[in-house]
Amino acid sequence: MEMKANRLSKSKFTPKRLFSLMKKYKLETGMILPLILYIFYFTLTPIINTITMSFRNDGSGAWTLENYQEIFTDINFNTALFNTLFITIVGIILQISIALLIALLMNKEFKGKGFFRTMMLIPMGIPTLVSGVTLLFIFGQTGYFNEFLFRLGIVDTQPFWLGGGINTLFVIIFADMWKVLPLTILLLLAGLQSIPKDVYEASAIDGANSWHTFWSITLPLLKPSITMAIILRAIDSFRIFELPLVMAGNNTPVLSTFSYEAFRHSNYGVSGAAATILLVIIVIFIISYILIVERKNLKEVK
């Protein structure tokens, strides 16, 4: 115990120890320093400035909570908050489900597998603005989707899918899913290919069918990849900006577009407050999800 205490006391992190390590590893420090400066000036500093701006009055510069009081009584903010949560939750459920199904199919051996994998990656190379404008030709009032429904006799008129409401939210979810689904598929496919084949062979010897193999072996071993996919997609979905702005404009506000419109009209405090709330939601979601997953993992280990 005494030796362990001595080791812990020696391994304490102090400024003096930090400078000695930097002096010892000069090359490594020089290589990592640009990254640290980049993160500090282009990530941490804007976040701190945004949070500070949310607590200041635009005119006097005095510290205040009136910006938060204003947005919580604004119906547009409440709508933007609901739209953001709806797009994120429903979008993640659909994306993970469809991506897992496609990843399972792509993990099998079949003719033309390389071609399909290459075609699958095409949406990732298209800029978000371009994909949003392209999908306007599909879901616009005179777009291909309405023409398709009309020819099938499903509709007699041309529905306006981008006029706001639940229909517009599902269109935005579809547009976002089409753009980023390849990334989710790649993450899950990498996880599937990392599972040892010996496990499946042992399962087959024990007489397990396909469903039991998927539920008891594939899904548990795929949890780290699913967790990574959910966290990455949640961050992107919460801060979705271009697609709602291009496809629906002010008809379907989200937190990012709400903050942008407030900033554009020189309501800097309100814009900062909306951006800060968005940041808090992202942090709470990530921490909550990790705690829930890790708690389940600990119970399974016990």
Side-chain angles (χ1 to χ4, degrees), residues 133-151:
V133 173
T134 303
L135 289 168
L136 285 176
F137 289 99
I138 299 176
F139 293 104
Q141 196 164 9
T142 57
Y144 300 117
F145 186 61
N146 279 342
E147 181 67 19
F148 176 73
L149 295 179
F150 178 77
R151 289 181 180 273

Side-chain angles (χ1 to χ4, degrees), residues 208-257:
N209 57 30
S210 300
W211 172 251
H212 286 108
T213 300
F214 170 76
W215 188 257
S216 303
I217 296 177
T218 304
L219 203 57
L221 294 177
L222 202 59
K223 275 185 180 179
S225 299
I226 294 175
T227 299
M228 180 60 67
I230 289 177
I231 291 175
L232 290 177
R233 289 304 309 127
I235 294 174
D236 275 344
S237 295
F238 275 124
R239 58 188 181 89
I240 189 171
F241 176 75
E242 297 98 328
L243 285 175
L245 190 64
V246 171
M247 300 185 69
N250 294 327
N251 292 331
T252 306
V254 292
L255 288 179
S256 296
T257 57

Side-chain angles (χ1 to χ4, degrees), residues 73-294:
T73 56
D74 189 343
I75 189 172
N76 292 324
F77 174 79
N78 296 328
T79 303
L81 180 61
F82 171 80
N83 291 341
T84 303
L85 294 176
F86 186 89
I87 290 172
T88 301
I89 296 172
V90 177
I92 286 177
I93 293 173
L94 291 176
Q95 289 175 35
I96 295 298
S97 302
I98 296 174
L100 180 57
L101 177 62
I102 297 175
L104 288 170
L105 294 174
M106 298 295 291
N107 195 40
K108 297 183 179 295
E109 295 296 332
F110 58 90
K111 191 174 181 180
K113 182 177 179 180
F115 172 77
F116 284 107
R117 283 190 177 184
T118 304
M119 295 298 294
M120 181 189 69
L121 298 175
I122 290 178
M124 292 182 62
I126 300 175
T128 306
L129 288 174
V130 176
S131 64
V133 173
T134 303
L135 289 168
L136 285 176
F137 289 99
I138 299 176
F139 293 104
Q141 196 164 9
T142 57
Y144 300 117
F145 186 61
N146 279 342
E147 181 67 19
F148 176 73
L149 295 179
F150 178 77
R151 289 181 180 273
L152 290 178
I154 298 176
V155 297
D156 296 327
T157 59
Q158 295 175 325
F160 188 30
W161 301 102
L162 301 175
I166 296 296
N167 291 338
T168 306
L169 292 178
F170 275 108
V171 171
I172 293 173
I173 288 171
F174 175 84
D176 183 53
M177 183 169 59
W178 178 82
K179 178 72 175 62
V180 300
L181 193 63
L183 176 61
T184 310
I185 294 173
L186 287 177
L187 287 171
L188 298 181
L189 185 59
L192 287 172
Q193 293 183 344
S194 67
I195 300 176
K197 293 183 178 180
D198 298 343
V199 180
Y200 292 110
E201 293 175 358
S203 175
I205 292 174
D206 291 338
N209 57 30
S210 300
W211 172 251
H212 286 108
T213 300
F214 170 76
W215 188 257
S216 303
I217 296 177
T218 304
L219 203 57
L221 294 177
L222 202 59
K223 275 185 180 179
S225 299
I226 294 175
T227 299
M228 180 60 67
I230 289 177
I231 291 175
L232 290 177
R233 289 304 309 127
I235 294 174
D236 275 344
S237 295
F238 275 124
R239 58 188 181 89
I240 189 171
F241 176 75
E242 297 98 328
L243 285 175
L245 190 64
V246 171
M247 300 185 69
N250 294 327
N251 292 331
T252 306
V254 292
L255 288 179
S256 296
T257 57
F258 179 87
S259 177
Y260 166 75
E261 289 295 331
F263 188 87
R264 196 166 66 88
H265 291 90
S266 300
N267 296 326
Y268 303 119
V270 172
S271 175
T276 302
I277 291 173
L278 177 58
L279 174 64
V280 171
I281 291 174
I282 293 174
V283 172
I284 291 175
F285 174 84
I286 294 174
I287 293 175
S288 301
Y289 182 80
I290 291 176
L291 288 177
I292 292 171
V293 171
E294 290 300 324

Side-chain angles (χ1 to χ4, degrees), residues 16-91:
K16 185 177 180 180
R17 181 175 174 79
L18 174 62
F19 284 117
S20 64
L21 287 173
M22 291 175 63
K23 187 176 180 180
K24 182 178 180 181
Y25 301 101
K26 292 180 180 179
L27 177 60
E28 291 81 353
T29 302
M31 295 179 68
I32 200 174
L33 189 60
L35 176 61
I36 295 174
L37 293 176
Y38 177 85
I39 293 174
F40 179 78
Y41 283 107
F42 293 99
T43 303
L44 295 180
T45 301
I47 290 175
I48 294 172
N49 290 338
T50 301
I51 296 173
T52 303
M53 185 170 61
S54 70
F55 289 101
R56 286 190 176 274
N57 183 278
D58 291 336
S60 63
W63 295 93
T64 179
L65 293 175
E66 63 182 15
N67 296 319
Y68 291 94
Q69 295 172 354
E70 181 177 345
I71 63 174
F72 281 121
T73 56
D74 189 343
I75 189 172
N76 292 324
F77 174 79
N78 296 328
T79 303
L81 180 61
F82 171 80
N83 291 341
T84 303
L85 294 176
F86 186 89
I87 290 172
T88 301
I89 296 172
V90 177

